[in-house]
Amino acid sequence: MSHPAIRPDTRTLATVAHTAFFLLLGASVARFLLRHPGEPRTPWVLALSITLALLYVLGPVLGPSLGGTPGGTPGAAAPTPRRRLLWLGLVVTTWVVLVVLAPSFAWCAVPLFFTAVRTLPPRAAIVLVALLTAFVVTAQLQLAKSFDPNLLLAPPAVAALATAVFVHMERQAQAQRALIDDLLRTRRELAATERREGTLAERQRLSMEIHDTLAQNLSSQQMLLQAADRTWDTDPATARAHVRTATGIAAHGLAEARRLVHDLAPSELADGAGLADALRALDAGPGIEVRFHLEGAPAPLPDRVQSALLRIAQGALANIREHSGAHTAALTLSFLGDQVVLDIADDGHGFTEPRTGAGADGRGHGLPAMRARVRQLGGTLTIESTPGEGTVLSAAIPLEPAP
């Protein structure tokens, strides 16, 4: 399962916290070396400082913190990985030993507050922040020459305020993400409902058309032919008249059937327009340039083949517009004698090879529908895509040899 993307505001906050940690650590090292030169504990302090810096850098390598990403939401259902808990324990333990040797390193705990809140559930994070704050207060009182109430009250107040603000921001962000997810889910459900309603309306229209034309014509033909059969021996002239009337009704029904089929065909291919012209007129939306190339000598194509290739091109361009982030799409129609091939290439971000039975984009039924169209015509559909290098979709349909 992939992790959600890191939000820009969280990334900025994490960058500021990491920078502050290394600045405070460097300032503490410099202060110690200036005020305590040549002391026996100096090698230990330097070694622990380097260890703490290396451990802190190792944190992002261990994987996401609570909530699925670095900067995840405190209190999310996903448990914190054990290796990250171990890392946090090592960081805090190293810092505690360092503060015992040199209390001036206590202020490095401020960025650790941020790390604790990001890594642990809210209650555990608050407990750890309270312990770190108590350690900071103790260390500052050791450095002070006399008792200062500010050193006793200011660190807890700052820690409480910073923790409360961050937890509130994260909970607001979590609520916003949940709202966005609900809106997206509602939009998908609404789109699916509209498609179902449109499909039902079209089915109803077609059923009414068939009932009012083809079914009525067939019923009339049946009655006339039955009447002709009954009177064929006794009144041949009347029987022939019935047959002629049935023939006229059959011709009218055939015309109605052809009209229905024509209405179901793509409008871009109406009035004798060729497939090449229809493909050349396709558009993928603003910001995407569509280029069309024709290769080979054009040959007459069956209506089913033209409709299938046009629908495949339209579906591919819709996927490019919605998912690829491409700026250019190229359609190439190639007549290779025994087959016709349609290639659709884009310069988008591509995707990993789709799993069997799923669309390549993981979001719909576009590719399965394309495969079904090509399979019905005895052809093949191939997809070549690499993340960051675009996608090429190729539909090849065999043609019957010319007589």
Side-chain angles (χ1 to χ4, degrees):
M1 180 177 179
S2 60
H3 300 294
I6 303 175
R7 302 189 312 276
D9 55 344
T10 301
R11 186 184 299 110
T12 301
L13 184 59
T15 301
V16 172
H18 299 336
T19 304
F21 175 81
F22 287 106
L23 287 176
L24 291 172
L25 182 62
S28 300
V29 171
R31 183 181 185 278
F32 178 81
L33 293 177
L34 289 174
R35 298 201 175 189
H36 308 279
E39 288 194 5
R41 54 178 173 164
T42 298
W44 289 101
V45 170
L46 293 177
L48 288 172
S49 299
I50 295 173
T51 302
L52 182 60
L54 292 176
L55 285 173
Y56 197 85
V57 171
L58 185 63
V61 180
L62 297 178
S65 58
L66 185 64
T69 63
T73 303
T80 306
R82 290 184 177 179
R83 58 182 181 180
R84 192 159 184 89
L85 290 176
L86 177 61
W87 167 80
L88 181 60
L90 290 175
V91 169
V92 173
T93 301
T94 304
W95 173 81
V96 168
V97 175
L98 191 57
V99 173
V100 170
L101 293 176
S104 58
F105 284 83
W107 285 110
C108 293
V110 175
L112 294 182
F113 294 164
F114 171 77
T115 302
V117 175
R118 293 175 64 213
T119 305
L120 299 175
R123 293 182 179 178
I126 291 174
V127 171
L128 181 57
V129 168
L131 293 176
L132 294 177
T133 304
F135 220 79
V136 171
V137 171
T138 302
Q140 293 304 305
L141 291 176
Q142 289 179 0
L143 291 175
K145 297 180 179 180
S146 60
F147 177 76
D148 187 348
N150 285 332
L151 296 179
L152 183 63
L153 300 177
V158 172
L161 179 61
T163 304
V165 169
F166 183 77
V167 171
H168 176 73
M169 289 174 57
E170 285 297 310
R171 287 177 176 172
Q172 290 289 93
Q174 182 184 22
Q176 185 180 19
R177 288 194 296 273
L179 178 60
I180 292 174
D181 291 340
D182 289 340
L183 290 175
L184 292 176
R185 182 169 56 255
T186 301
R187 187 175 69 176
R188 288 193 296 268
E189 293 174 354
L190 179 60
T193 301
E194 291 177 349
R195 286 194 297 271
R196 286 194 297 268
E197 292 178 352
T199 301
L200 292 175
E202 183 64 14
R203 288 180 177 178
Q204 184 178 8
R205 184 188 73 83
L206 289 175
S207 65
M208 294 175 61
E209 288 274 358
I210 293 173
H211 176 270
D212 294 340
T213 57
L214 299 181
Q216 294 292 344
N217 289 338
L218 291 173
S219 177
S220 299
Q221 292 175 55
Q222 183 183 32
M223 294 175 60
L224 288 168
L225 292 175
Q226 288 174 348
D229 181 64
R230 289 192 300 268
T231 61
W232 190 263
D233 294 330
T234 59
D235 190 356
T238 301
R240 292 189 182 92
H242 289 332
V243 172
R244 286 193 294 270
T245 303
T247 302
I249 294 175
H252 180 70
L254 180 60
E256 288 291 338
R258 287 172 175 169
R259 183 184 64 83
L260 287 175
V261 172
H262 181 270
D263 290 343
L264 293 176
S267 59
E268 294 85 349
L269 298 175
D271 301 326
L275 177 61
D277 294 333
L279 293 175
R280 188 177 288 109
L282 291 180
D283 181 25
I288 302 178
E289 179 185 3
V290 180
R291 302 170 182 171
F292 174 75
H293 305 279
L294 179 63
E295 296 183 0
L301 297 175
D303 293 340
R304 292 179 60 200
V305 174
Q306 294 191 75
S307 298
L309 291 178
L310 180 60
R311 294 306 190 201
I312 289 172
Q314 291 171 331
L317 290 179
N319 284 342
I320 291 172
R321 177 177 62 252
E322 296 176 8
H323 310 305
S324 73
H327 300 288
T328 304
L331 279 69
T332 303
L333 181 64
S334 304
F335 291 87
L336 305 179
D338 59 342
Q339 66 177 351
V340 59
V341 180
L342 176 63
D343 297 316
I344 302 105
D346 68 77
D347 60 354
H349 49 61
F351 53 81
T352 55
E353 186 65 16
R355 294 169 292 182
T356 302
D361 52 14
R363 287 171 284 269
H365 304 282
L367 287 177
M370 296 180 194
R371 287 195 173 93
R373 289 182 185 276
V374 174
R375 192 181 304 115
Q376 290 173 357
L377 298 173
T380 57
L381 183 75
T382 58
I383 302 168
E384 297 179 4
S385 183
T386 303
E389 297 183 11
T391 303
V392 177
L393 182 147
S394 180
I397 298 177
L399 300 177
E400 296 182 0

